[in-house]
Coordinates of all heavy atoms in Angstrom, one line a residue:
Q92 N -16.3 -1.2 -49.8 CA -17.5 -1.5 -49.1 C -18.6 -0.5 -49.6 O -18.7 0.6 -49.1 CB -17.4 -1.4 -47.6 CG -16.4 -2.2 -47.0 CD -16.2 -2.1 -45.4 OE1 -17.1 -1.7 -44.7 NE2 -15.0 -2.1 -45.0
P93 N -19.4 -0.8 -50.6 CA -20.4 0.1 -51.1 C -21.4 0.5 -50.2 O -22.2 1.5 -50.3 CB -21.1 -0.7 -52.3 CG -20.0 -1.8 -52.6 CD -19.3 -2.1 -51.4
S94 N -21.6 -0.2 -48.9 CA -22.6 0.1 -48.0 C -22.2 1.2 -47.2 O -23.1 1.8 -46.4 CB -22.9 -1.2 -47.1 OG -21.7 -1.5 -46.5
V95 N -21.0 1.7 -47.2 CA -20.5 2.8 -46.4 C -21.1 4.0 -46.9 O -21.2 4.3 -48.1 CB -19.0 2.8 -46.4 CG1 -18.6 4.1 -45.7 CG2 -18.3 1.7 -45.9
P96 N -21.8 4.8 -46.1 CA -22.5 6.0 -46.4 C -21.6 7.1 -46.9 O -20.4 7.2 -46.5 CB -23.3 6.5 -45.3 CG -22.4 5.9 -44.1 CD -21.9 4.6 -44.6
V97 N -22.1 7.8 -47.9 CA -21.4 8.9 -48.5 C -21.8 10.2 -47.9 O -23.1 10.4 -48.0 CB -21.4 9.0 -50.1 CG1 -20.6 10.2 -50.5 CG2 -20.8 7.7 -50.6
P98 N -21.1 11.1 -47.4 CA -21.5 12.4 -46.7 C -22.1 13.2 -47.7 O -21.8 13.4 -49.0 CB -20.3 13.1 -46.2 CG -19.1 12.5 -47.0 CD -19.6 11.0 -47.2
L99 N -23.3 13.8 -47.4 CA -24.1 14.7 -48.3 C -23.3 16.1 -48.4 O -22.6 16.5 -47.5 CB -25.5 15.1 -47.8 CG -26.5 13.9 -47.6 CD1 -27.7 14.3 -46.9 CD2 -26.8 13.3 -49.1
P100 N -23.5 16.7 -49.6 CA -22.8 18.0 -49.7 C -23.5 19.0 -48.8 O -24.6 18.8 -48.3 CB -23.0 18.3 -51.2 CG -24.2 17.5 -51.6 CD -24.1 16.2 -50.8
N101 N -22.8 20.2 -48.6 CA -23.3 21.3 -47.8 C -24.7 21.7 -48.2 O -25.5 22.1 -47.4 CB -22.3 22.4 -47.5 CG -21.2 21.9 -46.8 OD1 -21.2 21.1 -46.0 ND2 -20.0 22.6 -47.0
G102 N -24.9 21.9 -49.5 CA -26.1 22.4 -50.1 C -26.8 21.3 -51.0 O -26.0 20.8 -51.9
I103 N -28.1 21.1 -50.8 CA -28.7 20.1 -51.7 C -29.6 20.8 -52.7 O -30.2 20.2 -53.5 CB -29.6 19.2 -50.8 CG1 -30.6 20.0 -50.1 CG2 -28.8 18.3 -49.8 CD1 -31.7 19.1 -49.3
I104 N -29.6 22.1 -52.7 CA -30.3 22.9 -53.8 C -29.4 23.8 -54.5 O -28.6 24.5 -53.8 CB -31.4 23.7 -53.1 CG1 -32.5 22.7 -52.5 CG2 -32.1 24.6 -54.1 CD1 -33.7 23.4 -51.7
E105 N -29.5 23.8 -55.8 CA -28.8 24.8 -56.6 C -29.6 26.0 -56.8 O -30.5 26.1 -57.5 CB -28.4 24.2 -57.9 CG -27.5 25.1 -58.8 CD -27.1 24.5 -60.0 OE1 -27.4 23.2 -60.2 OE2 -26.5 25.1 -60.9
R106 N -29.3 27.0 -56.0 CA -30.1 28.3 -56.0 C -29.7 29.2 -57.2 O -28.6 29.3 -57.5 CB -30.0 29.0 -54.7 CG -30.3 28.2 -53.4 CD -30.1 29.0 -52.2 NE -30.4 28.2 -51.0 CZ -31.6 28.0 -50.4 NH1 -32.6 28.6 -50.9 NH2 -31.7 27.2 -49.4
A107 N -30.8 29.9 -57.7 CA -30.4 30.8 -58.7 C -29.9 32.1 -58.1 O -30.3 32.6 -57.0 CB -31.8 31.1 -59.5
G108 N -29.0 32.6 -58.8 CA -28.4 33.9 -58.2 C -29.1 35.1 -58.6 O -30.1 35.1 -59.4
G109 N -28.8 36.2 -58.0 CA -29.5 37.5 -58.2 C -30.6 37.8 -57.4 O -31.2 37.0 -56.7
S110 N -31.0 39.0 -57.3 CA -32.1 39.6 -56.5 C -33.4 39.3 -57.1 O -33.5 38.8 -58.2 CB -32.0 41.0 -56.2 OG -32.1 41.7 -57.4
M111 N -34.6 39.5 -56.4 CA -36.0 39.3 -56.9 C -36.1 40.3 -58.2 O -36.6 39.8 -59.2 CB -37.0 39.7 -55.8 CG -38.3 39.7 -56.3 SD -39.6 40.5 -55.3 CE -39.4 39.6 -53.8
M112 N -35.6 41.5 -58.1 CA -35.6 42.3 -59.3 C -35.1 41.8 -60.5 O -35.6 41.9 -61.6 CB -35.0 43.7 -58.9 CG -35.1 44.8 -60.0 SD -36.6 45.6 -60.1 CE -36.5 46.7 -58.6
E113 N -33.9 41.2 -60.3 CA -33.2 40.6 -61.6 C -34.0 39.4 -62.1 O -34.0 39.2 -63.3 CB -31.7 40.3 -61.2 CG -30.9 41.6 -60.8 CD -29.5 41.2 -60.3 OE1 -29.3 40.0 -59.8 OE2 -28.6 41.9 -60.4
Q114 N -34.3 38.4 -61.2 CA -34.9 37.3 -61.6 C -36.3 37.5 -62.3 O -36.6 37.0 -63.3 CB -35.0 36.3 -60.4 CG -33.7 35.8 -59.9 CD -33.8 34.7 -58.8 OE1 -34.6 33.8 -59.0 NE2 -33.1 34.9 -57.8
M115 N -37.1 38.3 -61.6 CA -38.4 38.7 -62.2 C -38.3 39.5 -63.5 O -39.0 39.3 -64.4 CB -39.2 39.5 -61.2 CG -39.7 38.6 -60.0 SD -41.5 38.6 -60.1 CE -41.8 37.6 -58.7
G116 N -37.3 40.3 -63.5 CA -36.9 41.2 -64.8 C -36.6 40.3 -65.9 O -37.2 40.5 -67.0
H117 N -35.8 39.2 -65.7 CA -35.4 38.3 -66.9 C -36.7 37.5 -67.3 O -37.0 37.3 -68.5 CB -34.4 37.4 -66.4 CG -33.0 38.0 -66.4 ND1 -32.4 38.4 -67.5 CD2 -32.1 38.3 -65.3 CE1 -31.2 39.0 -67.2 NE2 -31.0 38.9 -65.8
H118 N -37.5 37.1 -66.3 CA -38.8 36.4 -66.6 C -39.7 37.2 -67.4 O -40.2 36.8 -68.4 CB -39.4 35.9 -65.3 CG -40.7 35.3 -65.5 ND1 -40.9 34.0 -66.1 CD2 -42.1 35.6 -65.3 CE1 -42.1 33.7 -66.1 NE2 -42.9 34.7 -65.7
H119 N -40.0 38.5 -67.0 CA -40.8 39.4 -67.8 C -40.4 39.7 -69.1 O -41.1 39.8 -70.1 CB -41.2 40.7 -66.9 CG -42.1 40.5 -65.8 ND1 -42.9 41.4 -65.4 CD2 -42.3 39.3 -65.0 CE1 -43.6 41.0 -64.4 NE2 -43.3 39.7 -64.1

Side-chain angles (χ1 to χ4, degrees):
Q92 305 175 32
S94 60
V95 173
V97 178
L99 293 173
N101 290 332
I103 60 176
I104 293 179
E105 184 177 353
R106 301 177 186 270
S110 63
M111 179 195 299
M112 179 79 74
E113 293 173 336
Q114 293 186 46
M115 286 248 181
H117 284 296
H118 174 73
H119 283 214

